[in-house]
Amino acid sequence: MAATQPHRAKAKESPWSVKRTQDAAALVERFGPDAVEWLDLFLADYVFAGEPLDQVMTEARRLGELPARPVRSWFNDD
């Protein structure tokens, strides 16, 4: 029977995850939470959910201690 390791090593963050967090922190630091919120809501009309820029803005909202972006129920990407 194989032995199990009670303390698994924490998975190393991907380079993309690190870069995304750095970019998001820079946005919050440079522009502040109010501008991050405005920019995120503006870009949400032009950027698909889950794309790299969307992920950066979502992280910036989190770092800026902003609430999650409101869900647009009317959105249709056809």
Side-chain angles (χ1 to χ4, degrees):
M1 184 164 146
T4 59
Q5 296 179 355
H7 302 289
R8 295 169 118 187
K10 185 178 178 181
K12 190 173 183 179
E13 287 188 88
S14 72
W16 162 240
S17 178
V18 171
K19 177 70 171 139
R20 178 183 64 219
T21 300
Q22 290 171 344
D23 289 346
L27 282 171
V28 174
E29 183 178 327
R30 182 166 182 173
F31 299 112
D34 290 339
V36 166
E37 183 171 33
W38 178 87
L39 183 60
D40 182 46
L41 293 174
F42 174 79
L43 292 173
D45 289 338
Y46 304 99
V47 177
F48 290 113
E51 287 185 350
L53 181 56
D54 177 62
Q55 292 176 15
V56 169
M57 295 309 299
T58 299
E59 182 69 4
R61 288 185 77 89
R62 186 187 69 75
L63 294 173
E65 299 178 355
L66 295 164
R69 181 187 312 132
V71 177
R72 296 176 300 162
S73 60
W74 56 268
F75 183 72
N76 182 358
D77 66 348
D78 288 342

